[in-house]
């Protein structure tokens, strides 16, 4: 399934998101930088994409790490998953965190994250004194992982 997402370049050197393959869920986001940026170990730097989006109502843009960048260089979004709401019209910025022990340099035009456009369900929170019973019940972390 495809959808048209309106996108605006805020600077001429911004790159539109691209998909690495026909079946890719995430579109690569690119660093919109004039010069390289070096991120020290365990520090976070805000990297702009130079893009603003118009995500349709009922959808959100979820910004994830690129597996190669995170696994090989230790660079991943600081908030793990960024949420871009449908009513946000500002620049798409990635808070890139260096989880490694060595400085990492981000080059202008480098792929820094990936974004998935996904539908979501807005909840009406209904307070109650009781919840329905399930087999799992109140079993918490790891409760379904034992054999």
């Amino acid at each position: 399934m495809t959808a048209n997402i309106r996108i605006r370049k805020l600077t001429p050197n911004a790159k539109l998101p691209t998909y690495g393959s026909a079946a890719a869920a995430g579109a690569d986001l690119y660093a919109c930088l004039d010069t390289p940026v070096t991120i020290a170990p365990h520090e976070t730097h805000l990297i702009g994409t130079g893009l603003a989006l118009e995500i349709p109502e009922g959808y959100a843009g979820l910004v994830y790490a690129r597996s190669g960048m995170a696994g090989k260089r230790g660079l991943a979004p600081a908030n793990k998953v960024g949420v871009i709401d449908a009513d946000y019209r500002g620049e798409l910025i990635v808070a890139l965190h260096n989880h490694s022990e060595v400085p990492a340099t981000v080059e202008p035009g480098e792929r820094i994250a990936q974004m998935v456009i996904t539908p979501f369900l807005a909840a009406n929170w209904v307070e109650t004194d009781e919840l329905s019973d399930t087999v799992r019940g109140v079993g918490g972390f790891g409760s379904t992982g034992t054999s």
Side-chain angles (χ1 to χ4, degrees):
M1 177 164 57
T2 61
N4 292 328
I5 305 293
R6 292 170 51 97
I7 190 164
R8 185 174 146 227
K9 283 186 173 185
L10 302 175
T11 61
N13 61 333
K15 290 186 178 183
L16 296 182
T18 61
Y19 290 97
S21 72
D28 290 327
L29 300 175
Y30 295 84
C32 187
L33 301 168
D34 293 324
T35 59
V37 169
T38 299
I39 305 172
H42 309 291
E43 288 192 352
T44 300
H45 193 84
L46 301 179
I47 308 287
T49 64
L51 301 172
L53 308 173
E54 187 175 311
I55 297 172
E57 247 184 79
Y59 291 79
L62 302 180
V63 179
Y64 296 98
R66 293 191 69 254
S67 57
M69 181 173 254
K72 295 175 184 173
R73 296 173 55 197
L75 293 173
N79 53 344
K80 307 306 178 212
V81 178
V83 178
I84 311 302
D85 296 315
D87 59 352
Y88 177 66
R89 295 294 184 268
E91 183 179 10
L92 177 56
I93 296 173
V94 177
L96 207 54
H97 184 79
N98 183 353
H99 294 274
S100 78
E101 299 299 327
V102 296
T105 300
V106 177
E107 299 291 335
E110 183 175 358
R111 295 176 296 171
I112 56 169
Q114 60 183 320
M115 181 174 55
V116 175
I117 303 294
T118 187
F120 67 88
L121 179 65
N124 290 319
W125 305 103
V126 180
E127 188 174 357
T128 183
D129 292 329
E130 292 185 30
L131 300 175
S132 63
D133 200 14
T134 67
V135 173
R136 182 177 181 178
V138 295
F141 294 109
S143 66
T144 62
T146 58
S147 348

